Amino acid sequence: KSDVIMKSVDTSKINTNIDYNLNFPSDNYSLIFKWAAGIPIVGNNISDTKFYYTPSSFSSSIRVNSNLKEKVSRNNNLIEDYTLGLQRRFSFNYKIFDNTQLAYNKNIISDMSDYREKVLSSLKSGIITNSNESTNFNTSPSFGWFKPSISISTNYVWNKPLSSAINAANINLVKNNTFNISISPT
């Protein structure tokens, strides 16, 4: 029914979020290949390689959105439209070596409208309606005149149409691989 023929319309929206971000110091490394300094050709290159034993950063967030629309028709019928959504995000960045990085991100969206009265008591996250996950790996080691570069990225998206008559989902997976070589003889 349209809002025009309604006696009254009350709208209530609540948006809440919690964010947690943690950045690690950049001096958390160990020279794990220091023992290789005496190896001919590659020893000097890899002996100064820093291995970082902590990630670069970690972040997460939780967002809860509540929307309530109460309509009272002219004949005093109450029509209620309620949505309760939950969004969770996780992000992880890790610099393994000076020339090697890994990043991971995940975003999950849930519909908790069916759990309106028992969200806190049951601790349910609702019905997942969207999930997006991505991973990026980059490395570019240098061996004097030979410099390869490798990049791998994946993105996975899953979502469930809300108005679908059948139990179905849309799935999308994208993977990109890049390999470059630079040769600079001196």
Side-chain angles (χ1 to χ4, degrees):
K1 294 181 177 180
S2 171
D3 291 343
V4 176
I5 60 170
M6 292 293 145
K7 182 177 179 181
S8 68
V9 176
D10 291 325
T11 302
S12 172
K13 293 183 180 187
I14 299 173
N15 297 318
T16 303
N17 65 306
I18 298 172
D19 295 319
Y20 179 75
N21 298 306
L22 181 61
N23 291 319
F24 293 86
S26 60
D27 62 349
N28 291 343
Y29 65 85
S30 177
L31 299 173
I32 61 171
F33 299 115
K34 193 171 188 173
W35 57 268
I39 297 176
I41 301 174
V42 295
N44 289 334
N45 286 336
I46 65 170
S47 65
D48 293 331
T49 301
K50 297 175 185 174
F51 171 72
Y52 294 89
Y53 49 86
T54 60
S56 307
S57 64
F58 171 79
S59 65
S60 66
S61 69
I62 297 175
R63 289 175 174 40
V64 178
N65 302 315
S66 172
N67 296 312
L68 174 62
K69 192 176 217 181
E70 294 179 330
K71 304 174 188 177
V72 179
S73 66
R74 291 183 189 213
N75 58 357
N76 287 331
N77 288 334
L78 177 65
I79 302 167
E80 197 175 74
D81 184 17
Y82 180 74
T83 59
L84 180 62
L86 172 68
Q87 180 178 6
R88 295 165 287 169
R89 184 185 55 81
F90 307 96
S91 178
F92 175 78
N93 293 308
Y94 187 24
K95 181 179 182 180
I96 303 166
F97 300 109
D98 282 330
N99 53 13
T100 305
Q101 293 86 25
L102 175 67
Y104 175 77
N105 297 298
K106 184 159 187 158
N107 192 15
I108 304 167
I109 299 173
S110 300
D111 179 14
M112 299 189 317
S113 299
D114 293 339
Y115 300 98
R116 177 180 179 181
E117 302 299 327
K118 50 189 171 183
V119 169
L120 293 177
S121 64
S122 64
L123 294 177
K124 299 259 183 193
S125 61
I127 300 168
I128 296 175
T129 59
N130 187 304
S131 179
N132 187 340
E133 194 170 351
S134 65
T135 306
N136 294 309
F137 175 79
N138 297 303
T139 186
S140 51
S142 179
F143 303 107
W145 54 271
F146 179 67
K147 298 176 183 174
S149 174
I150 300 169
S151 177
I152 301 170
S153 64
T154 60
N155 191 20
Y156 172 76
V157 178
W158 177 94
N159 64 38
K160 180 176 181 150
L162 291 176
S163 61
S164 179
I166 59 172
N167 190 9
N170 299 317
I171 298 174
N172 187 13
L173 175 63
V174 176
K175 183 177 179 184
N176 294 317
N177 298 331
T178 305
F179 181 68
N180 295 316
I181 297 175
S182 174
I183 299 174
S184 305
T186 56

